[in-house]
């Protein structure tokens, strides 16, 4: 049986002497959406950082498209097709929207205008505000800039850490719609999300982490229907 497009298998690691992740496994198939949910302090963002190479693993490995990338730096993982959008400090506030997007293409040596056009098609408001400083935008618009900048790398895998944190329900729904569009274009999505119910509704695969380990793993639909998951993590 072929391996998933991305797999972080049996990941164990943390900061200092203590482990935050304990035998944690995440995987996602090409063009699908995988969502990591769980209580605060469960290790969700740490798991993302481990996959992206920002946390050294004491055990386990990370493979992308069949290649073991466990030893690669984050920049080298970007060159292999990963893009990571952190939850905070994810735009250059004094730069214009267009300049932020151009920064996303720093590894590219080809013409980026076609990708820029695709980002503007995905997020039309960014085209209207392309000359405006990113720091002057609303929270939801800044998130669009951050996701757009990641897409400028032409990633195979897009990783999003709490993409809807601090935005209104209407903006959250719009961001989720755009994330679905990105996946339909063939880009694999792995994201951590605090709005668990809404995120699982768009997820092909869902992971509930508790204390750095897999508590539940199933399709998003199955996790939403699971009475124990609903009672414990989704508010009934």
């Amino acid at each position: 049986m072929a391996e998933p497009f991305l797999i972080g298998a049996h990941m164990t690691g943390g900061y200092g002497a203590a482990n935050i992740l304990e035998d944690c496994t995440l995987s996602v198939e090409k063009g699908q959406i995988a969502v990591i949910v769980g209580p605060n302090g469960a290790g969700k963002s740490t798991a993302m950082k481990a996959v992206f190479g920002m946390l050294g693993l004491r055990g386990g490995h990370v493979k992308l498209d069949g290649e073991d990338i466990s030893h690669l730096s984050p920049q080298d993982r970007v060159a292999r097709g990963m893009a990571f959008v952190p939850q905070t400090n994810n735009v250059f506030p004094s730069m214009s929207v267009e300049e932020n997007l151009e920064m996303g293409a720093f590894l590219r040596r080809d013409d980026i205008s076609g990708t820029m056009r695709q980002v503007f098609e995905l997020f039309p408001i960014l085209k209207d505000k392309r000359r405006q400083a990113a720091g002057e935008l609303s929270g939801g618009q800044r998130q669009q800039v951050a996701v757009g900048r990641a897409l400028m790398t032409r990633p195979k895998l897009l990783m999003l850490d709490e993409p809807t944190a601090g935005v209104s329900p209407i903006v959250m729904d719009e961001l989720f719609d755009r994330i679905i569009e990105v996946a339909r274009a063939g880009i694999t999505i792995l994201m951590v999300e605090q709005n668990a119910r809404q995120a699982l509704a768009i997820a092909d695969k869902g992971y509930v982490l508790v204390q750095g380990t897999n508590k539940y793993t199933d399709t998003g639909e199955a996790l939403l229907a699971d009475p124990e998951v609903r009672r414990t993590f989704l508010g009934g």
Side-chain angles (χ1 to χ4, degrees):
M1 184 175 167
E3 279 191 328
F5 180 70
L6 168 77
I7 182 162
H10 308 295
M11 296 185 296
T12 299
Y15 308 98
N19 284 338
I20 296 173
L21 301 179
E22 292 279 3
D23 196 31
C24 174
T25 293
L26 307 168
S27 69
V28 56
E29 302 292 348
K30 188 165 183 57
Q32 293 197 336
I33 300 172
V35 171
I36 308 167
V37 300
N40 288 337
K44 303 185 297 294
S45 293
T46 303
M48 290 275 276
K49 287 173 180 173
V51 169
F52 193 56
M54 296 168 69
L55 173 78
L57 292 176
R58 297 187 179 103
H61 63 264
V62 180
K63 284 186 175 183
L64 180 69
D65 203 10
E67 179 188 3
D68 191 327
I69 58 169
S70 307
H71 61 292
L72 296 183
S73 68
Q75 182 160 327
D76 286 338
R77 296 185 197 208
V78 171
R80 291 297 197 285
M82 280 188 169
F84 177 58
V85 180
Q87 181 183 347
T88 56
N89 301 320
N90 55 18
V91 299
F92 299 102
S94 62
M95 290 184 174
S96 71
V97 167
E98 196 162 56
E99 288 168 339
N100 266 272
L101 296 178
E102 287 169 351
M103 287 293 287
F106 71 102
L107 285 178
R108 292 176 56 179
R109 297 291 177 266
D110 59 331
D111 182 5
I112 66 171
S113 59
T115 314
M116 183 87 73
R117 197 161 51 247
Q118 290 171 341
V119 170
F120 286 149
E121 286 170 4
L122 189 65
F123 301 119
I125 191 70
L126 298 188
K127 185 175 184 180
D128 297 340
K129 296 179 178 285
R130 63 187 181 278
R131 308 269 184 255
Q132 196 167 333
E136 298 173 2
L137 304 179
S138 70
Q141 289 165 358
R142 283 198 300 274
Q143 285 297 82
Q144 291 182 24
V145 173
V147 173
R149 192 178 72 232
L151 291 173
M152 289 298 294
T153 69
R154 291 190 302 190
K156 301 174 187 174
L157 171 72
L158 178 63
M159 301 170 63
L160 306 169
D161 191 1
E162 304 274 16
T164 69
V167 304
S168 69
I170 291 173
V171 173
M172 177 185 70
D173 288 344
E174 187 179 328
L175 275 169
F176 280 161
D177 285 345
R178 299 293 84 76
I179 288 166
I180 291 168
E181 281 187 49
V182 170
R184 282 182 181 151
I187 297 171
T188 307
I189 309 278
L190 176 67
M191 69 177 181
V192 168
E193 185 48 61
Q194 61 181 359
N195 294 296
R197 192 183 292 271
Q198 295 89 337
L200 289 172
I202 70 165
D204 297 291
K205 197 163 192 179
Y207 296 93
V208 181
L209 296 193
V210 177
Q211 294 181 326
T213 194
N214 299 74
K215 180 76 172 173
Y216 299 95
T217 300
D218 213 324
T219 64
E221 187 178 15
L223 290 175
L224 280 173
D226 186 310
E228 189 64 22
V229 172
R230 290 169 67 92
R231 184 181 67 80
T232 310
F233 301 104
L234 304 179

